[in-house]
Amino acid sequence: MSDVDRSIAEAPLPTAGTLRRRKGLFYQATRFVAFNFRMMKMVTRAHH
Amino acid sequence: MARVVILGAGISGHTAALHLQRHLKKGAEIIVVSPNSNWNWIPSNIWVGVGKMTKDQVTFPLAPIYKRKHIGFRQAKAVAIHPEGSPDNPQGFVDIDYTDPTRSGQEEQLTYDYLIVATGPKLNFAATPGLGPDGNSWSVCTAGHAEQSAAALETIIEALKAGERKTLVIGVGHGTCTCEGAAFEYTFNVEHELRERGVRELADVVYLSNEYDLGDLGVGGMTFAQNGFETSSKMWTESLFRERGVRAILRAHVEKVDPGVIHYEELDGSKHTLDFDFAMLLPPFRGVDMKAYANNGDDITDDLFAPNGFLRVDADYAVKPFEEWTPEDWPKTYQCPRYANVFGVGIAFAPPHAISEPRKSPNGTIISPAPPRTGMPSGVMGRTVALSIAERIRHGDQAPLRTASMAAMGAACIASAGTGLRKGSAAAITMYPIIPDRKRFPGSGRDLTQTSGEIGLSGHWTKLLLHYLFIYKAKARFGWFMIPE
Ligand SMILES: Cc1cc2nc3c(=O)[nH]c(=O)nc-3n(C[C@H](O)[C@H](O)[C@H](O)COP(=O)(O)OP(=O)(O)OC[C@H]3O[C@@H](n4cnc5c(N)ncnc54)[C@H](O)[C@@H]3O)c2cc1C
């Protein structure tokens, strides 16, 4: 097993709850708004 | 009337052309030179490469847009810049060769008052024998390449359905490649597609990269603050690889691609081979083939362009060790030091050095990513230079130039990990600044409150939204300028 394979094998696996949240429509809708807000803040900064 | 010539109609050149036209209206003549008749939203080529979009959904013809906007368009490629003009006329000019089928074989000399070089990368497949669609691997760098990849992938899926085992290798085809983010995206889109089609079990998916660690992405990796801890993009990416069962080979320089066999060297100097049934390996980038001449005819290509073929701008190109790299090394105005009316933006400008730590194998092979210049900074540079030029045309040569250093700019990057309005997913990343500043932000060099990453369905929605928004903007439809770069 290479170092890279070992490192991947030891990486944390998302829990069932995390996987559910990543697909959950309501939670993802709030993340969509939050991320786009963060992105817009960054973009407006880049334009000055 | 002043004339601005823009070489290249990609993200940076097209953005510059539209902003110049908006600010100068009929007060200047704007001419765009590009060998392709179409504009391409390159980020969505990933989806063309898995058959989820067609070429027509990610490209559109440029000529009607330029006609509507009163911007001149030459479907041609620039082959030489004469920044000092000729012995009898000091005005700079560019030699162009037409690629427009109706003017094939014709050449023209285009004079300019201001020149923007936005020619993007030359896809340097030739750096690795056997690399690329003319050799033994596929690419998604152009919409046409992506269509070929989708067809090849379909053949593999049919074989998997018939019960055959297959190895799919996706990554970068040289030790000095950039754009690892695109390779990452294509890996997970292919993996997603294999699962959707019910053939994942028989497929071995391998990511092959020149990165030192997963999550480096050519920006030296990132640190995020999550749940009260500082976590790294390395751990975060490794977690995704584990979850999706994707193998990784890192710190690799592909030496050659034979039919079905990749030969590569690792950072420790060892040499290996990897058998494959399908390989999509991105090429290294260099500047496009352009020459430069002084007014006496002397070849000044090496003065204007760095050895990698990119245009020298106001960066600090002094060679120094990694520990001495500073944010001030990076260009601010993108003005060519020798010729004040020449600018280089997007991938076409020569970066002062990499962002990731440079590394060499004991055999002297460079195995570390070149610095990415993604869509958002490329667009911002195009707009910034357009505004600088517009102000100089209006107020004279003393008007101050605008600045947009990558060391003072953040970037948002959405790495798709699979499509579908309900089943899609993407890693949504923001970082500030792009170039780490370890004095201002001790440790990772980036602001932890503005550097973030999360995986989920909403990232896919954002990526899809950006696809439609940027195509709308590039078509210069109503209110286009309100959509930021
Ligand atoms: C597969 C892939 C996926 C990507 N995904 C993302 C992503 O998700 N997000 C992101 O931010 N970035 C992404 N990028 C990077 C992004 O595409 C680039 O940052 C961006 O295209 C750079 O813009 P540019 O204007 O410098 O070059 P380009 O967009 O490549 O444009 C160069 C232009 O110059 C023209 N040209 C070439 N030679 C000549 C010549 N001799 N004379 C005149 N014109 C010439 C070309 O025809 C083209 O019009 C991706 C890149 C790839 C390859």
Side-chain angles (χ1 to χ4, degrees):
Chain A
M1 203 188 220
S2 75
D3 287 354
V4 179
D5 290 335
R6 198 168 309 118
S7 203
I8 292 175
E10 287 166 3
L13 267 182
T15 59
T18 301
L19 288 177
R20 242 191 339 268
R21 270 195 301 280
R22 286 183 183 171
K23 296 265 174 250
L25 291 184
F26 180 74
Y27 182 70
Q28 287 302 313
T30 63
R31 297 316 304 154
F32 180 76
V33 174
F35 182 79
N36 280 279
F37 179 72
R38 197 173 330 125
M39 191 163 64
M40 280 310 293
K41 241 173 68 184
M42 181 154 285
V43 167
T44 35
R45 255 180 99 144
H47 283 69
H48 294 288
Chain B
M1 186 160 50
R3 180 190 273 180
V4 187
V5 171
I6 301 165
L7 307 180
I11 293 181
S12 61
H14 186 62
T15 304
L18 293 182
H19 279 292
L20 273 167
Q21 193 278 336
R22 178 170 123 78
H23 284 274
L24 293 169
K25 300 280 183 248
K26 291 186 176 143
E29 186 188 8
I30 300 151
I31 300 179
V32 175
V33 177
S34 177
N36 295 324
S37 57
N38 283 338
W39 191 83
N40 177 201
W41 177 239
I42 296 173
S44 295
N45 288 356
I46 300 295
W47 292 335
V48 176
V50 288
K52 292 291 191 224
M53 276 194 182
T54 62
K55 194 173 159 183
D56 290 346
Q57 284 174 283
V58 300
T59 58
F60 64 81
L62 283 163
I65 315 291
Y66 289 148
K67 190 164 175 225
R68 174 159 51 87
K69 288 281 156 194
H70 307 287
I71 294 171
F73 179 48
R74 307 281 194 279
Q75 194 191 329
K77 68 171 197 261
V79 289
I81 303 176
H82 302 257
E84 299 169 0
S86 57
D88 29 77
N89 183 357
Q91 190 174 21
F93 66 94
V94 188
D95 295 331
I96 64 170
D97 287 356
Y98 277 88
T99 54
D100 179 343
T102 62
R103 301 187 66 174
S104 175
Q106 293 180 27
E107 296 167 5
E108 191 183 345
Q109 292 189 336
L110 265 183
T111 56
Y112 62 80
D113 296 292
Y114 290 93
L115 179 71
I116 303 179
V117 179
T119 41
K122 171 180 172 173
L123 305 176
N124 195 15
F125 292 108
T128 305
L131 184 70
D134 293 333
N136 304 308
S137 61
W138 304 107
S139 151
V140 289
C141 286
T142 68
H145 288 173
E147 269 192 340
Q148 293 174 333
S149 297
L153 179 63
E154 197 52 43
T155 312
I156 293 291
I157 291 176
E158 289 309 317
L160 287 163
K161 277 186 181 161
E164 293 175 37
R165 288 203 149 269
K166 295 286 175 195
T167 302
L168 296 88
V169 183
I170 298 164
V172 300
H174 194 274
T176 63
C177 279
T178 179
C179 242
E180 289 75 13
F184 168 95
E185 285 189 285
Y186 193 61
T187 305
F188 285 97
N189 271 270
V190 166
E191 197 275 337
H192 179 85
E193 187 63 17
L194 297 175
R195 263 187 299 130
E196 290 282 290
R197 306 281 288 270
V199 292
R200 180 66 180 92
E201 293 304 308
L202 289 171
D204 186 15
V205 182
V206 185
Y207 176 75
L208 176 74
S209 174
N210 56 352
E211 294 156 283
Y212 190 79
D213 285 319
L214 283 177
D216 180 282
L217 299 174
V219 293
M222 284 155 283
T223 302
F224 308 126
Q226 259 167 353
N227 303 326
F229 288 90
E230 285 189 11
T231 57
S232 65
S233 55
K234 171 178 185 283
M235 188 205 77
W236 204 67
T237 315
E238 285 174 348
S239 168
L240 188 66
F241 273 69
R242 181 172 173 204
E243 179 203 333
R244 305 272 288 259
V246 176
R247 279 204 295 135
I249 296 171
L250 300 181
R251 306 163 198 173
H253 159 71
V254 175
E255 289 184 316
K256 76 173 165 167
V257 186
D258 282 336
V261 189
I262 294 168
H263 300 256
Y264 66 95
E265 177 185 343
E266 286 193 357
L267 196 58
D268 63 7
S270 59
K271 309 255 178 158
H272 307 263
T273 58
L274 175 66
D275 293 344
F276 69 89
D277 300 291
F278 171 94
M280 195 300 291
L281 298 172
L282 296 174
F285 292 170
R286 56 170 289 116
V288 302
D289 299 319
M290 247 195 292
K291 304 291 263 175
Y293 298 100
N295 56 4
N296 60 4
D298 282 356
D299 188 331
I300 53 166
T301 308
D302 293 343
D303 292 344
L304 221 65
F305 296 97
N308 55 15
F310 295 120
L311 188 83
R312 291 179 201 272
V313 292
D314 61 321
D316 180 353
Y317 294 109
V319 178
K320 39 188 163 181
F322 176 67
E323 297 70 33
E324 291 173 25
W325 290 357
T326 70
E328 288 71 42
D329 300 341
W330 288 78
K332 296 180 181 67
T333 64
Y334 302 92
Q335 186 182 39
C336 175
R338 228 173 115 171
Y339 302 101
N341 60 345
V342 178
F343 296 81
V345 293
I347 292 179
F349 86 81
H353 43 65
I355 304 174
S356 302
E357 187 173 346
R359 291 183 167 93
K360 258 188 201 169
S361 78
N363 309 321
T365 313
I366 298 172
I367 309 184
S368 50
R373 279 138 288 160
T374 54
M376 187 173 148
S378 297
V380 172
M381 285 172 214
R383 176 181 183 270
T384 303
V385 166
L387 295 186
S388 293
I389 292 175
E391 278 160 19
R392 291 217 157 171
I393 289 176
R394 277 200 301 244
H395 307 298
D397 278 355
Q398 295 317 310
L401 295 174
R402 302 243 179 165
T403 62
S405 166
M406 279 168 63
M409 204 193 292
C413 178
I414 325 282
S416 170
T419 55
L421 279 176
R422 294 291 295 268
K423 290 189 175 163
S425 107
I429 296 167
T430 58
M431 69 173 109
Y432 178 85
I434 301 171
I435 308 300
D437 185 340
R438 292 192 170 80
K439 271 202 199 121
R440 261 179 87 197
F441 306 109
S444 72
R446 297 203 178 92
D447 184 348
L448 282 185
T449 63
Q450 294 193 65
T451 303
S452 69
E454 62 186 271
I455 298 176
L457 176 59
S458 62
H460 174 70
W461 294 340
T462 304
K463 181 112 186 156
L464 200 59
L465 178 73
L466 293 182
H467 166 92
Y468 291 112
L469 274 180
F470 283 121
I471 290 180
Y472 181 93
K473 178 181 165 85
K475 285 185 175 172
R477 294 252 167 89
F478 177 73
W480 65 267
F481 51 86
M482 295 203 288
I483 301 170
E485 277 68 46

